[in-house]
Amino acid sequence: MDKVVAKLKYLRVAPKKVRQVARLLKGMSFVEAESQLKFLPQKSVKPLYKLLISAGANAENNYNLSRADLFVENILVDPGPTLKRMRARARGMAAPIRKRSSHITLFLSPIRGKQLKRVAKKQSLKMKKPKKSAIRSEKAGSPPRRPMKKERLAKASGVKQKVFRRKAI
């Protein structure tokens, strides 16, 4: 893998407006892109800045790269779902309003041709806590779980219970 990736989904700004800012960042070093985003007035700048910082953090923590060695290789801005609304117009009519959203994918690459190697995570992070139900059953001296009343009646009568009941019309 030769790229560090960060994604932002469901940003409530139209893709056309986000691409306007994204075009400026493509090919810039990480530090230049960060300083460029601090002084732009558009609405999409703040989420793009957070995404850039997130991608930089991914590079530092997962691949042991410094932010000074990175540049913005590519930014993909794809359309997300569109919210459809209506607006009242003259003579009882309605006009459609489309509230568009965006999905953004940011790719960072190392400047000096370094190969990316994922850092092995600590074993303590991989260990998951057991579920509470498993802990209860493992406790010494706890009685085994009795089946619920419906289950006991079904076993006694030997009839399977219906999973789905259709209501009469």
Side-chain angles (χ1 to χ4, degrees):
M1 184 166 166
D2 57 338
K3 297 175 187 173
V4 178
V5 181
K7 293 182 180 183
L8 171 62
K9 292 188 167 190
Y10 305 103
L11 175 65
R12 267 288 295 119
V13 178
K16 189 174 179 180
K17 295 176 182 179
V18 178
R19 283 186 198 112
Q20 192 179 26
V21 177
R23 269 189 235 114
L24 293 171
L25 303 178
K26 191 174 178 180
M28 284 188 178
S29 71
F30 182 88
V31 178
E32 288 174 1
E34 190 177 7
S35 61
Q36 181 78 29
L37 285 173
K38 286 183 180 177
F39 299 106
L40 290 172
Q42 285 87 350
K43 180 183 175 183
S44 61
V45 167
K46 190 174 180 181
L48 274 172
Y49 180 76
K50 286 178 76 173
L51 181 66
L52 184 70
I53 298 301
S54 173
N58 289 346
E60 285 182 345
N61 294 320
N62 298 340
Y63 301 103
N64 280 345
L65 295 170
S66 78
R67 293 180 184 196
D69 294 340
L70 299 171
F71 77 100
V72 179
E73 184 179 316
N74 198 3
I75 300 179
L76 298 177
V77 181
D78 300 319
T82 301
L83 302 173
K84 292 172 176 118
R85 303 289 181 259
M86 298 304 277
R87 180 177 180 154
R89 305 308 281 170
R91 297 188 298 159
M93 289 193 277
I97 295 175
R98 289 187 291 288
K99 297 185 175 189
R100 300 178 191 270
S101 64
S102 308
H103 296 320
I104 306 167
T105 309
L106 178 69
F107 297 96
L108 295 178
S109 290
I111 292 173
R112 298 185 190 96
K114 292 184 179 179
Q115 291 293 327
L116 298 184
K117 292 182 182 176
R118 193 172 269 285
V119 177
K121 292 186 179 178
K122 294 179 183 176
Q123 290 293 336
S124 62
L125 295 176
K126 288 185 178 179
M127 290 176 35
K128 294 181 180 177
K129 293 181 181 177
K131 293 182 180 178
K132 288 183 179 180
S133 60
I135 293 171
R136 286 187 199 135
S137 62
E138 291 174 3
K139 286 183 181 176
S142 62
R145 188 184 79 82
R146 282 183 63 194
M148 293 173 51
K149 190 174 182 179
K150 288 182 182 178
E151 292 174 332
R152 285 183 293 194
L153 291 175
K155 282 184 182 178
S157 64
V159 179
K160 290 185 178 180
Q161 280 189 326
K162 290 183 182 179
V163 177
F164 176 82
R165 290 186 186 170
R166 188 177 303 271
K167 291 184 177 179
I169 299 175

